[in-house]
Structures are given as C-alpha cells and as structure tokens.
Amino acid sequence: MMHRIGVAAIVLPLLGACTGGASWTGFGFRADGPEMPRIRQELTLKPGQVVADVGAGKGELTLALAREVGPNGRVFSTEIEPERRRALREAATAAALGNVTVVDASSDDASLPPNCCDLILLRRVYHHLTDPARTNASLLRSLKPGGVLAVIDFPPPFFASRGDLGVAANDVIAEMTSSGFKLHRLIDNWPGRGPLGSYCAVFHKPG
C-alpha cells in the first residue's frame, strides 16, 4: 500500500490541475476576499467586540478582525510557535493596530482569559488539534455566556485521515457539543475553499 504522504503528493497537484489552477494552498485569508463579508453577516462581527483568532498563523485574519472591531474592541491572537508570535506582534505594530494582544497558547489550551470573548474563530485550525476535548474546554471557559464560536474547516479528502488534512463537520459538531457548546447552525458553502468545499460550524455558549 502506498504511504498516505505519497498519495497526497500525487493527488494534490492533480486537484489543482482539475480546478483550472485554483490553489490548493489558497486557504490563506485575504481581507479583500469573500470571507470577511460572510464573517460580518453570519457571525455578527461588529465594532467594540472582543474577538479571538485561535491559531492565527501569519496573522492576516487577526489584522482584519482588529480593523473591524476598531479601537474600542480587542483581538486576542493565539499561536503556539514563538517565531509566529513574534511575527504577529511585529505585524500588528507595523499596521498601527494597538488593539491586538498576542497570546502564548499550548497544544491543548488556547490560554485566553476566562469569559473574555464575544466571538472566537478557528479558521482551518480545528483539524490540527491533538486533544480536542481539552482545547474545547479552554475555549468554552474563554467565551462569554451567549458568545459565538465558529469553526471554519473542510472535510478530509478520500486519501487523508483526521489530523492530516481537514476534518468532517459531523466530528466537529460531536466534539464541540460534548464539550458544552450548543450548535447554532452549519453553513456548508463557506467561501475561500480552494478545490475542496469548506464549511463553517457556528456554536454558542449557553447563557
């Protein structure tokens, strides 16, 4: 049997070719792309909110959120890797965004203050979680009662398993609800998806 990495190395370029050059790595967030209008509309993002970007990566979403919530709001930007945290701080400073707080997270704890957030986003991050139950418990503690949490991800292709590439929406829903979140709705036509379909699972913390 061919090793999964070998299969992925063959299939991913084919997927790109079949989508007319649509980028498999096109999951990067763009402030002028189609996702921010959907975040505003579907997640009721507005000025003055406290928001968390969990697993912020290069920080494009963090900076866009910071501009959306404005100077009276706050964005917590969490990352595990020290170099990425340093880069996030530098990016926020360069953009003159004083409402960004970079947080030193761990693999099973978002390390956010308790009851701090109106909205928490995990964009293309959930499938990387190694201990979803512990991570979700930390997120539940950090969300205000009645607050919203959104998981934006994509289902795994046939050659991948959990943790390699994507996660099934039903798995996310089962794990989040087991952790105490309430499912609000599943949006199955989320934009910015590259060659695979994306979804946004929206939850809230019981008030």
Side-chain angles (χ1 to χ4, degrees):
M1 179 181 295
M2 183 179 292
H3 192 276
R4 182 176 292 117
I5 294 175
V7 175
I10 294 171
V11 175
L12 293 182
L14 290 175
L15 282 171
C18 292
T19 55
S23 174
W24 174 265
T25 58
F27 292 136
F29 181 84
R30 290 177 50 192
D32 61 349
E35 286 191 83
M36 185 52 75
R38 294 292 297 275
I39 289 172
R40 291 191 200 103
Q41 175 186 353
E42 307 287 359
L43 307 180
T44 61
L45 178 68
K46 55 190 176 183
Q49 286 184 322
V50 179
V51 180
D53 179 15
V54 175
K58 295 181 180 179
E60 295 96 336
L61 178 57
T62 288
L63 300 184
L65 292 171
R67 294 185 179 100
E68 290 287 327
V69 301
N72 294 324
R74 170 69 45 188
V75 176
F76 290 101
S77 183
T78 82
E79 253 303 330
I80 295 174
E81 298 179 13
E83 283 301 308
R84 286 193 169 183
R85 292 196 299 271
R86 178 188 58 77
L88 285 166
R89 293 186 179 97
E90 291 176 354
T93 298
L97 293 169
N99 59 347
V100 174
T101 299
V102 178
V103 177
D104 180 359
S106 68
S107 61
D108 60 3
D109 193 331
S111 302
L112 294 165
N115 298 311
C116 67
C117 291
D118 301 293
L119 171 63
I120 297 176
L121 291 96
L122 292 84
R123 182 185 179 278
R124 325 284 188 218
V125 169
Y126 197 92
H127 66 271
H128 292 299
L129 299 184
T130 55
D131 192 340
R134 288 177 63 89
T135 302
N136 292 344
S138 78
L139 295 171
L140 188 69
R141 289 193 299 269
S142 302
L143 197 61
K144 295 178 182 179
V148 172
L149 181 143
V151 175
I152 298 170
D153 223 304
F154 51 98
F158 70 91
F159 55 83
S161 61
R162 173 69 177 267
D164 290 333
L165 191 64
V167 57
N170 286 342
D171 289 345
V172 174
I173 292 169
E175 292 167 4
M176 296 299 293
T177 54
S178 292
S179 298
F181 290 92
K182 298 295 184 183
L183 177 66
H184 176 60
R185 66 176 173 142
L186 176 65
I187 305 166
D188 60 7
N189 63 343
W190 197 256
R193 55 182 179 252
L196 294 183
S198 291
Y199 59 83
C200 178
V202 185
F203 304 87
H204 71 269
K205 178 178 179 176

